[in-house]
Amino acid sequence: MNVQNFVRQTVSPTERASRAAPLRTEIPARLDRLSWSRFHMIVVVALGITWILDGLEVTVIGSLGPVLQRHDTLGLTDEGVGLASSAYVTGAVLGALLFGWMTDRLGRRQIFFLTLALYILGVGFSAMSWNLPSFALGRFITGMGIGGEYAAINSAIDELVPARLRGRVDLMVNGTFWAGAAIGALGSVALMNNSMVSVAVGWRVAFVIGALLGTGVLLLRRYVPESPRWLMTHRRVAEAEAIVKDVESHCAEPEGGWNAPLRSVLIYPAGSFGLKDFLRYMVTTYRTRTFYVLTLMIAQAFLYNAVFFTYGLVLTEYLDVPARSVGLYILPLALGNLCGPMLLARWFDTIGRRVMIGSTYAISGTLMFLVALAMQAHLLTATTQTIAWSVIFFFASAAASSAYLTASELFPLEMRALAIALFYSLGTLFGGAAAPAIFGELIGTKSLSMLVLGYVFAALLMGFASFVAFKWGVDAENKSLEDIAPPLSGLQPGMER
């Protein structure tokens, strides 16, 4: 589409006149050539904490479910615990969409302060809740904060981290969800079995800890600037230049020196684009990439829910594991999930995106298919099955993390945050609603064969996602974000995308 015609349709004549002049900038190249520094570490810690907080929240509510049914706590029913979990998921979906849209319009920095503050408010309100409606409201607010965080922080991280390191940083950050999950599980057990803190108080302390952690991170985020890439598309060049100069002052001199020639980008800053235009670009210009990312998201969501929604039942009903010991079999799964992205991450930048994404999905699907066959033949014990799932999740966790990486780097800057929000929301809805409903029906049959059939379907989905990755994947490793997906306002007049 001709950019000048697009601008005429979306801005007033006065705005059009002020934005008509092109802008040539080296800001993306300057950011991508930087060496790793203390600044980048602060960005990763201050923003990447979101994944740990999400893992913490999801696990805490799961671990505290039985405790919250006691009369000396909230006295919830099974349905009440489920409603609170649904409130969190609903809040996460709505928060992602709302704040994703706001992030592209108002900037990354304003929103990641707002969403973290909302998270702190939500967990604080959860700690002080007195009945089901108040607790569900607290979980809804918490979910909105976490959902909004994903869009804002993933955009900011990708736009501040050098291109050659973007893949490994994203995967490692995304993989820390499982560190949060392990912390939540162990912390809940410790608080609920501590003679110094009563159960009636301990569950509240679990949420207060999350609020305190969030407050500390909120203070750390003062050192994270606005994305210079976002600023330049809104013609705030002086601010972007000042931020880049400050970041450069904290980094070692790049190869070739500070005065080495750099590739520039020519854009026609047009500010923000509307939702209608966003959707039009998703289903026309970027329809293949939209299908690609959606396939990755759905496949990994189905696999994870296939296992985690059923594993407790498999252990207790088919492998004679006492209910009180189920947690001991879950921790190795969390360890496998955490180690996969950490150990495989660098290869996504060296071997490449297409090969690594396609391979991790293929390996996960193949191993899951073999485990399903072994379960049907009754060849696995509780121990060997746990080991098998841990190995599967070693690869599946890297695959799932790469899905979020792909969503964040394959779309233009002006729609990046909303694209992340859309795919996160669809993955969350599918993982939190559709997959549990399907496996709930399979579990209801009381047939191991039907459950195995569900596992086989999950394996086939992973195989299909692998095929899509090899067929339509994008070799985004070591490339500037502007090379992967030029800004929507980045075409010269008369050029078509």
Side-chain angles (χ1 to χ4, degrees):
M1 178 182 181
N2 185 288
V3 172
Q4 286 186 331
N5 290 338
F6 183 83
V7 172
R8 289 193 189 99
Q9 297 169 10
T10 55
V11 302
S12 67
T14 302
E15 292 174 313
R16 192 186 311 144
S18 66
R19 295 176 178 178
L23 169 66
R24 184 173 292 279
T25 177
E26 295 177 342
I27 283 176
R30 289 169 65 185
L31 290 170
D32 286 336
R33 72 175 176 178
L34 295 176
S35 60
W36 187 259
S37 68
R38 179 173 174 271
F39 165 79
H40 296 104
M41 183 60 69
I42 290 175
V43 167
V44 169
V45 173
L47 301 183
I49 194 72
T50 293
W51 289 87
I52 295 179
L53 294 177
D54 191 16
L56 180 68
E57 290 303 315
V58 171
T59 309
V60 162
I61 188 61
S63 301
L64 293 181
V67 172
L68 297 178
Q69 293 179 294
R70 293 173 44 149
H71 293 296
D72 57 346
T73 57
L74 292 180
L76 303 182
T77 61
D78 288 335
E79 292 77 12
V81 174
L83 178 62
S85 298
S86 297
Y88 179 85
V89 172
T90 302
V93 170
L94 294 179
L97 295 173
L98 172 62
F99 291 114
W101 176 76
M102 292 176 63
T103 298
D104 283 333
R105 300 184 70 85
L106 303 178
R108 287 47 170 137
R109 194 170 193 267
Q110 292 188 61
I111 303 304
F112 65 58
F113 272 107
L114 176 60
T115 52
L116 184 56
L118 199 61
Y119 164 79
I120 295 170
L121 175 65
V123 290
F125 196 84
S126 299
M128 296 184 293
S129 58
W130 58 93
N131 57 15
L132 174 59
S134 62
F135 185 66
L137 178 60
R139 303 314 298 154
F140 177 80
I141 296 172
T142 304
M144 282 199 71
I146 288 294
E149 283 272 286
Y150 277 109
I153 64 100
N154 281 353
S155 301
I157 288 177
D158 279 0
E159 291 165 13
L160 290 170
V161 169
R164 67 185 181 281
L165 303 174
R166 188 174 60 244
R168 70 192 72 186
V169 169
D170 265 24
L171 257 75
M172 288 180 178
V173 167
N174 295 346
T176 57
F177 173 95
W178 296 101
I183 293 171
L186 294 174
S188 298
V189 171
L191 283 172
M192 295 304 103
N193 292 278
N194 191 333
S195 59
M196 297 179 63
V197 180
S198 67
V199 173
V201 175
W203 73 272
R204 298 184 187 274
V205 174
F207 289 111
V208 169
I209 291 174
L212 293 176
L213 180 60
T215 301
V217 175
L218 192 64
L219 298 175
L220 185 61
R221 286 189 178 178
R222 295 179 302 164
Y223 301 101
V224 180
E226 180 57 86
S227 165
R229 284 179 153 105
W230 182 87
L231 289 170
M232 74 182 186
T233 62
H234 289 72
R235 203 173 283 282
R236 293 163 61 178
V237 181
E239 295 175 63
E241 286 283 349
I243 290 172
V244 174
K245 286 182 179 179
D246 182 63
V247 174
E248 287 174 335
S249 69
H250 294 88
C251 297
E253 185 173 357
E255 185 178 352
W258 293 113
N259 296 321
L262 295 172
R263 178 176 178 271
S264 62
V265 178
L266 181 67
I267 62 173
Y268 292 75
S272 302
F273 292 78
L275 181 60
K276 179 181 177 181
D277 298 301
F278 164 80
L279 294 174
R280 178 163 55 82
Y281 271 109
M282 293 287 282
V283 299
T284 55
T285 307
Y286 290 102
R287 61 181 177 274
T288 301
R289 293 186 179 188
T290 299
F291 171 73
Y292 171 41
V293 178
L294 191 58
T295 300
L296 297 183
M297 286 288 189
I298 290 177
Q300 61 87 20
F302 201 90
L303 179 142
Y304 272 91
N305 281 274
V307 178
F308 281 97
F309 193 74
T310 62
Y311 197 45
L313 175 71
V314 171
L315 290 172
T316 56
E317 295 293 328
Y318 300 110
L319 298 174
D320 299 323
V321 173
R324 64 178 181 275
S325 301
V326 169
L328 297 176
Y329 292 87
I330 298 296
L331 283 177
L333 271 60
L335 182 61
N337 275 296
L338 178 61
C339 290
M342 298 298 169
L343 297 179
L344 300 177
R346 65 186 182 90
W347 288 344
F348 284 78
D349 284 325
T350 54
I351 296 176
R353 303 283 200 271
R354 187 194 303 260
V355 172
M356 287 303 297
I357 294 174
S359 297
T360 52
Y361 271 85
I363 293 172
S364 304
T366 301
L367 291 177
M368 189 167 191
F369 182 77
L370 294 175
V371 168
L373 295 181
M375 287 179 62
Q376 181 64 40
H378 301 283
L379 297 177
L380 298 177
T381 65
T383 299
T384 56
Q385 186 169 144
T386 299
I387 293 173
W389 287 131
S390 298
V391 174
I392 290 173
F393 284 132
F394 178 86
F395 296 100
S397 183
S401 296
S402 71
Y404 286 96
L405 164 65
T406 305
S408 67
E409 67 182 3
L410 292 193
F411 298 93
L413 186 145
E414 297 94 334
M415 57 187 285
R416 177 168 294 125
L418 188 52
I420 295 170
L422 176 65
F423 291 116
Y424 168 78
S425 298
L426 291 173
T428 300
L429 281 175
F430 191 85
I438 293 171
F439 279 93
E441 291 295 325
L442 294 177
I443 291 171
T445 65
K446 303 296 183 181
S447 169
L448 178 62
S449 296
M450 293 301 295
L451 191 58
V452 167
L453 185 62
Y455 290 161
V456 169
F457 181 70
L460 293 176
L461 269 182
M462 293 295 284
F464 177 69
S466 173
F467 167 77
V468 171
F470 280 115
K471 178 72 173 178
W472 290 294
V474 178
D475 298 315
E477 61 276 2
N478 303 303
K479 292 182 180 178
S480 171
L481 292 170
E482 289 71 26
D483 290 332
I484 302 169
L488 294 178
S489 52
L491 295 180
Q492 298 182 36
M495 289 181 62
E496 299 291 332
R497 188 176 298 282

